[in-house]
Amino acid sequence: MTDLIDSLPTDRDLSDDEWRFLIEGDYDRQRLYDKADKVRRQHYGTDVYIRGLIEISSFCKNDCLYCGIRRSNAKAGRYRLSREEIYACCAQGYELGFRTFVLQGGEDSYHTTEWVAGIVSSIKERYPDCAVTLSLGERPREDYEIWHKAGADRYLLRHETASRPHYQKLHPPEQTFEHRMECLYHLKQIGYQTGAGFMVGSPFQETKELIADMRFLREFQPHMVGIGPFIPHHDTPFSDCSSGTLEQTLTMVALTRLILPQALIPATTALGTIHPQGRELGLKAGANVVMPNLSPVAVRGQYSLYDNKICTGEEAAECIGCMKRRVAAAGYRITIDRGDVKLF
Ligand code: SAM
Ligand code: FES
C-alpha cells in the first residue's frame, strides 16, 4: 500500500480502503509529508503568502458547540472593532508588507450588508494592490454578491465536516449542514476565491468523516482550505474533549495538498497552539500560507475560540518578525504579494 503515496496525486478517487490506510494506517508519515512538500514546490516553489488577520468582532449569534465565542458562552468577552480601528489595522499591516487583509468575525448582526460593503470598498480604494478576504459566516447570497461587487476577492467558510450526521452533533438544530454547503456553492458561483476547511479531531469524528472531507474537497475544488486541530475551550460543552493531534492534522494537510495541488493552505494558528513547531511542520507537510494577527492587542484575548491560543500578546510587528524567522528556519520565504491561487 505504501506505493500508493508514490502514485499521488492522481485523478481517480481512492477507494475507502486506500483512504483509510492513508489517514490512519501504520506507515512512515514523513514520506507523505515529503511528497506533499514536493508537489507544493512544483506549484509555489518556496513562497509562503502572508495574510493579515483582523478579528473584527467576537459577538456571534451562532452556537457551535466547539467554539469559545458561541452565543451561549456568557463568560466570553465581547468586542467589536470600529471602522477606524479596522482601517488602522490595515494601515499598519500595509507598512509591514501585507497585501491581503482578512476580515474575520463571529456572525454579528451589527455587521449589516452596507456596513461591510462600505469597509470593503474603502480598503480597496486605499490599497488597490491588496486583496480583501471576508470570513463572516453564513449570509444570504445577496450579501455575498454585494460584497463581491464592493471589491471582496476571497471568502473563507470552513465546511467544518462533510458528514451531515457529524455536522448535527457539532451544531444546534437551527444551524444546518445544507445551509452551510449552500453558502459555499453560492460563494464559488459568484466568483470568490473560496475557502472551505475542517477541524481535525473534533468530537465524534472518525476516519469515515475525514474520508468524507477528502471526497468533498475533491468534488468542490475550493481555492483555499483551512485545516486545524480541534482544541477544547473550557466554557463550551466540549470542554472535556481532547484536542486533535499533530500527526493527524499534518496528515490531512498533506493529503489535501495531494488532492488539490494548487490550493492555498494555511499553517494555522491552531496547529501552532498544539505544538511549538506546529506551523513550521505544517509548511513542511504542504501548507503555503500563514496568517499573522493584525488585530489590536487590547482585544486579542477576547477572540478566544479555544484555550491557550498563541500570539494573543504580541504586537503585529512582533508577530510578523517572529513568523519571518520561523518560515525561513523551515526553509521557505515570505513573499510580499497578494498571493492569489494559481489556476491552470
Ligand atoms: N464566523 C465565521 C465562520 O463561521 O466561518 C468565522 C469565524 S469562526 C470562529 C472561524 C473558525 O474557527 C471556524 O470555522 C472553526 O473551524 C474554528 N474554530 C472554532 N472553534 C474552534 C475550536 N474549539 N478548535 C479549533 N478551531 C475552532
Ligand atoms: Fe505571532 Fe510568533 S507568529 S508571535
Side-chain angles (χ1 to χ4, degrees):
M1 269 279 212
T2 44
D3 294 346
L4 187 54
I5 296 169
D6 299 326
S7 73
L8 296 173
T10 166
D11 284 342
R12 73 176 175 94
D13 187 17
L14 303 180
S15 68
D16 281 7
D17 282 349
E18 287 172 323
W19 275 126
R20 194 164 284 282
F21 171 77
L22 289 169
I23 292 171
E24 62 170 33
D26 181 16
Y27 66 95
D28 177 12
R29 292 300 153 104
Q30 196 57 49
R31 277 190 62 202
L32 176 72
Y33 307 156
D34 290 348
K35 185 65 190 271
D37 186 49
K38 190 174 162 198
V39 170
R40 158 265 210 263
R41 283 170 192 262
Q42 279 163 5
H43 293 282
Y44 290 100
T46 55
D47 289 354
V48 171
Y49 302 117
I50 46 170
R51 318 297 194 200
L53 180 63
I54 309 173
E55 296 159 335
I56 66 173
S57 173
S58 68
F59 286 92
C60 194
K61 67 177 171 59
N62 285 345
D63 221 12
C64 309
L65 274 75
Y66 44 83
C67 184
I69 63 168
R70 64 200 299 266
R71 67 162 186 266
S72 297
N73 182 9
K75 293 190 193 149
R78 306 287 176 181
Y79 72 90
R80 177 183 295 129
L81 298 185
S82 66
R83 281 172 202 272
E84 289 66 34
E85 284 171 316
I86 295 172
Y87 299 148
C89 293
C90 294
Q92 191 192 13
Y94 193 86
E95 283 299 307
L96 291 170
F98 289 94
R99 296 296 177 266
T100 291
F101 302 116
V102 182
L103 309 189
Q104 188 182 78
E107 292 198 18
D108 182 351
S109 315
Y110 181 86
H111 293 155
T112 61
T113 317
E114 296 69 33
W115 191 87
V116 175
I119 287 179
V120 171
S121 52
S122 166
I123 295 175
K124 294 292 285 194
E125 239 168 65
R126 293 169 196 220
Y127 310 103
D129 54 336
C130 290
V132 171
T133 304
L134 297 176
S135 180
L136 301 173
E138 298 170 43
R139 303 280 295 219
R141 181 180 177 124
E142 199 190 19
D143 287 10
Y144 293 152
E145 280 168 352
I146 291 169
W147 297 343
H148 190 57
K149 283 205 190 91
D153 303 272
R154 312 186 187 125
Y155 204 100
L156 305 176
L157 186 76
R158 290 185 178 185
H159 63 283
E160 312 295 2
T161 169
S163 147
R164 179 185 293 103
H166 186 215
Y167 193 92
Q168 286 168 345
K169 290 183 188 158
L170 301 179
H171 301 93
E174 70 273 14
Q175 288 177 243
T176 67
F177 176 74
E178 283 71 19
H179 193 256
R180 190 106 186 149
M181 286 292 176
E182 186 180 66
C183 287
L184 273 167
Y185 281 94
H186 286 163
L187 290 163
K188 208 158 174 227
Q189 284 160 8
I190 292 166
Y192 282 96
Q193 290 177 50
T194 305
F198 57 99
M199 286 178 290
V200 178
S202 58
F204 313 108
Q205 185 182 64
E206 294 175 21
T207 301
K208 67 177 186 323
E209 277 78 37
L210 292 169
I211 296 176
D213 287 319
M214 291 295 101
R215 294 222 165 100
F216 167 68
L217 293 180
R218 254 178 71 90
E219 184 219 303
F220 184 66
Q221 296 280 317
H223 306 102
M224 307 171 283
V225 189
I227 302 167
F230 159 77
I231 303 173
H233 184 287
H234 60 279
D235 287 322
T236 63
F238 293 153
S239 56
D240 291 334
C241 298
S242 36
S243 297
T245 67
L246 178 72
E247 179 174 282
Q248 189 82 96
T249 310
L250 295 178
T251 298
M252 300 319 293
V253 166
L255 291 173
T256 300
R257 169 61 62 206
L258 293 173
I259 55 170
L260 298 172
Q262 321 231 6
L264 295 160
I265 304 177
T268 55
T269 306
L271 195 49
T273 298
I274 60 162
H275 189 281
Q277 302 285 310
R279 289 167 295 178
E280 292 87 325
L281 293 167
L283 294 173
K284 290 181 178 182
N288 61 341
V289 171
V290 290
M291 298 174 71
N293 204 320
L294 282 181
S295 311
V297 172
V299 300
R300 292 242 194 121
Q302 293 179 61
Y303 198 79
S304 172
L305 311 181
Y306 47 79
D307 291 338
N308 306 315
K309 191 174 168 211
I310 53 169
C311 302
T312 49
E314 282 78 9
E315 289 291 343
E318 294 174 68
C319 235
I320 183 68
C322 166
M323 216 52 244
K324 274 186 187 155
R325 285 192 297 277
R326 287 171 179 270
V327 168
Y332 304 93
R333 195 176 54 97
I334 282 183
T335 313
I336 299 196
D337 187 278
R338 275 171 51 119
D340 290 299
V341 71
K342 289 196 176 128
L343 289 172
F344 284 124

